[in-house]
Amino acid sequence: MPGFLASLLLPVLMTMAMRFRKKSRLRGVAEEVGGEPGVTRRNQRFPALVETPWEGATTLAALFEQACEKYADQPLLGTRTLISVESEAGPDGRSLEKVTLGPYVWISYGQAFEKVKLFSSGLLEFGHVKEEKIALFAETRAEWLIALQACFRNNITVVTIYASLGEDALAHSLNETEVTTVICDRKQLKKLIDLGESLETVRRVVYMDDDSDKSTLAACAWQLESFSNIEKLGKGSTAQAHFPNASDIAVIMYTSGSTGLPKGVIMSHRNIVATIAGVMTVVADISPKDVYIAYLPLAHILELTAETTMCAAGVAIGYGSPLTLTDTSSKIKKGTKGDVGELKPTLMTAVPAILDRVRDGVRRTVEAKGGLAKRLFQTAYRRRLGAVEGSWLGAWGLERVLWNAVVFKNVKRVLGGRLRGMLSGGAPLSGDTQRFINICLGVPIAQGYGLTETCAGATFSEWDDTSVGRVGPPVPHCYVKLVDWEAGGYLASDKPLPRGEIVIGGPSVTIGYFKNQAKTDEVYKTDENGLRWFYTGDIGQFHPDGCLEIVDRKKDIVKLQHGEYISLGKIEAALVVSPYVDSIMAHADPFHNFCVALIVPSQTALENWAKRVGQEYNDYADLCQKEESIKEILKSISQTAKQARLQKSEIPSKIKLLPDPWTPETGLVTAALKIKRENIRKAFAEDLKKLYQ
Ligand SMILES: *[C@@H]1O[C@H](CO)[C@@H](O)[C@H](O)[C@H]1NC(C)=O
Ligand SMILES: *[C@@H]1O[C@H](CO)[C@@H](O)[C@H](O)[C@H]1NC(C)=O
Ligand SMILES: *[C@@H]1O[C@H](CO)[C@@H](O)[C@H](O)[C@H]1NC(C)=O
């Protein structure tokens, strides 16, 4: 562009850019609803809650059949061929399995539908009775989705179990739901065999891998058949499909409870279909041109709703796994292609832990290159960061195009080079990672908030929203309400922003917990209009544009960044036993992987120790500040924690010693000396912040 033309255009562009920025778009608006009073928001674009993606698609079975008719010739399910498996010696001497995978082999919507029909009838021929439940217990793959849809065609309820749950949890879930048929992969088949006799209700097992090792199976009294043989059985069948209706139970999803055994969340067809309808509006222009990489566990609500949504929109789904995702993934043979390199997806879902890994990988590569490449990267990153954070250059597309061409193009290639959007959920995403992915990949991230109980996404940040730390406005299929939580000091009337416990209402709110009416009644409520609400126990606040921000958790349970739950109450109960501890409050920031603690030490114990080791100090407050004191108490509580068998993440990594005792008068503990978590957090907010620096 000639220089003078640029100088003419620049001021115009600048003013336009600033105008654009000032006008913060309204994304969520107030709504009058029933139930408990509070502040409610709905999606700005949809005055009425959406319930189905299109008329007539009221169940997953109907939705799938209609999508298969609509997109019959489009590719639906893609799986990579396995070319070779080798063992390589890893750095620690252990042998690592490395695979070479070939291109994706696809089946169309039409072909997938044929398979679903055959498998569905085959299950009945095999002896399964419709009224009984089937469990799906396998890693994410095409057969999982086929089996799921096959069950729905005959109104069979599917029980899903997280593959990483322990044996007790597995036995409990299968037994509680009286599952009679289990469909599993090779790896999970081993687990089933180990459990053997204790699975009292199981009669039939279908295994997905034809080459599964069946030698040890003779001992089991199960009827056993391969996935492909079930399809063959279906060929001879004359049975007609028996569709469910919208209120029938589609899935009972077992999720790892924060304590004790897993809970089964009961989801109707209506619940999941409503979520699909809502999520389809979140992903801009979703169409059969899109390609989605599927690799997260399908037993998790995030992936289940994502894949069923893709199915409804005519998208092609290519399967992969976390261990083979990119060219540098641990199971990929060096020099061969990872799943995204081969698939070149346009859409993907991710959990924060995966995105953190992508970010670290890019940073390492840049470090390793050094020199000019590194300097260029850093300059580009700074410039783009300034741009998205609001300086006027942001809207000036030319600079962006330039940096993309010079620097970020190679980074984009890490995820295949064609990605146009990401959905992130499951845990909070750190602002740093969100920015990094935004800038380096040029990919917008829709960060969602939702729970299994609300059938995944209740809010999603919109793709043109470049702010970090917020989870967006309500999805069009539900309302989000904040209700007072007086004990915690969060009120809907709070200024400047309304705050309170997050309550979600709408057709996606699930039926409740399986065989646990007491727990269901505790957290689910139906209002006078018949609308169902779920009380999340999370604390949020609404921004003026209608977006939600999660600020706290009501329960003592905190989910750390990598998805582990820790119970603050349990940690405190274990550590208060230590002779050094008078009072303790554990604290965990969900953006980190460790917890910290505020401790009021026992003055006598600490002073005795100081005398014993000859530690000098001015006064007691000074003693509490000493590095040596902190070290001594940390060491002692670590031992106490180990004796109490706390997990590593449950042992505070850093502590702050407070000289003044917590008494009821201070407002930090109740009359019964129970800690008042919110008040302590407030009083020592600065100290807690420092512990995480
Ligand atoms: C679907 O199955 C459930 C449980 O067996 C049953 O209660 C319900 O009536 C069935 N729905 C239809 C439409 O037959
Ligand atoms: C399965 O459930 C029955 C009762 O429904 C119970 O007696 C049995 O102990 C349970 N078994 C396991 C392995 O949990
Ligand atoms: C769903 O099925 C149940 C049981 O067969 C029946 O009572 C109910 O009326 C059905 N609902 C609809 C909307 O068809």
Side-chain angles (χ1 to χ4, degrees), residues 130-133 154-157 242-246 248-249:
K130 280 178 216 161
E131 287 72 26
E132 295 170 351
K133 296 176 189 70
N154 271 317
N155 184 27
I156 294 169
T157 297
H242 180 124
F243 272 27
N245 64 25
D248 284 327
I249 300 170

Side-chain angles (χ1 to χ4, degrees), residues 37 74 142 148 176 214 288 318 373 434 449 536 574 619 650 666:
Q74 294 287 338
L148 182 79
E176 188 173 65
K214 297 171 290 267
Q434 187 180 339
Y449 167 76
T536 65
D619 52 21
E650 292 173 322
T666 59

Side-chain angles (χ1 to χ4, degrees), residues 326-347:
T326 66
D327 297 355
T328 55
S329 289
S330 61
K331 248 181 105 173
I332 288 291
K333 187 179 157 67
K334 213 170 169 184
T336 70
K337 275 210 171 93
D339 304 327
V340 284
E342 186 66 42
L343 185 66
K344 299 187 172 50
T346 61
L347 299 172

Side-chain angles (χ1 to χ4, degrees), residues 171-172 175 198 200:
H172 165 77
N175 193 40
S198 64
E200 295 164 24

